[in-house]
Amino acid sequence: MEPNTQLRTAVRAFYAFVASMALLAVGPIVGQNLIDDGTRAERIAGVVVALVTWVPWIIVVIRMIRAGDEFALRVHLVGLAIAFFGLMTVLAALDWLARAEFIAPPPLAFVWPVGLVLWFAGIMTANHYYQRSA
Amino acid sequence: MKNRLRDLRTSRNWSQAELGARVGVSRQAIIAIETGKFDPSLPLAFKLAHVFNLTIEDIFDSSEAR
């Protein structure tokens, strides 16, 4: 790919990512407003809005991952593995702590931000491992 | 896998980014290959051999593969 084409592609991908992140930030706010004291139809609309605004972000992230070279794919694979098993461990720990009545059961709204943080931490960990000198 | 990639690259005064551009991967991929942390796929290994006009065995230490 020519450098100018590469730059244009990268800029378009960046704007798409920013736009999808903006939708992801606005979606839950709009959804929660519809759900709060809403009629049944408004609450359904709130759930749909909150979920649908995830879709552009998911599409953009998948495209960004697929556009990477084989090394980038390896880093994403390791990062996702760390995030998945990390999230399972956190959820299992919270579940057992709640069963033993040491804590109150945490709200589900806790789960997906923790998943995102673990995913980001997984990617950073994988990148650091592969980039440090032997 | 141990390899001579860094020596071959520096002997031609290529940066990691330059070598990456020649074989179609990122600078980070070249770093990971040079440090032995990441083994390239067969197509990438062939591209690396081709760009240096060598065979894959001339670049990568096959003794670890046995």
Side-chain angles (χ1 to χ4, degrees), chain B residues 16-34:
Chain B
Q16 289 165 333
E18 271 180 282
L19 175 56
R22 285 172 186 268
V23 295
V25 296
S26 61
R27 184 178 70 88
Q28 286 76 16
I30 299 299
I31 292 171
I33 294 171
E34 285 183 355

Side-chain angles (χ1 to χ4, degrees), chain A:
Chain A
M1 199 187 277
E2 293 296 320
N4 279 340
T5 310
Q6 267 183 333
L7 182 61
R8 273 201 300 271
T9 304
V11 168
R12 267 203 300 265
F14 174 73
Y15 284 139
F17 183 72
V18 169
S20 68
M21 287 291 288
L23 264 178
L24 198 58
V26 164
I29 297 171
V30 171
Q32 191 63 56
N33 278 334
L34 284 167
I35 285 169
D36 288 342
D37 301 322
T39 62
R40 182 179 168 81
E42 285 169 341
R43 284 185 287 122
I44 291 172
V47 170
V48 170
V49 164
L51 288 177
V52 160
T53 49
W54 274 98
V55 174
W57 182 79
I58 290 170
I59 291 172
V60 166
V61 168
I62 288 174
R63 281 190 175 162
M64 284 170 66
I65 291 173
R66 288 183 65 192
D69 60 20
E70 60 189 66
F71 172 71
L73 290 175
R74 170 71 67 85
V75 168
H76 280 292
L77 174 65
V78 173
L80 280 170
I82 291 172
F84 176 71
F85 289 109
L87 187 59
M88 277 183 61
T89 303
V90 166
L91 289 176
L94 289 173
D95 181 30
W96 283 104
L97 285 171
R99 284 171 195 244
E101 298 179 352
F102 287 123
I103 61 171
L108 285 176
F110 164 85
V111 174
W112 58 267
V114 170
L116 285 176
V117 168
L118 286 172
W119 182 32
F120 181 75
I123 291 174
M124 291 296 108
T125 303
N127 210 39
H128 176 71
Y129 169 77
Y130 284 111
Q131 295 296 287
R132 67 181 175 150
S133 49

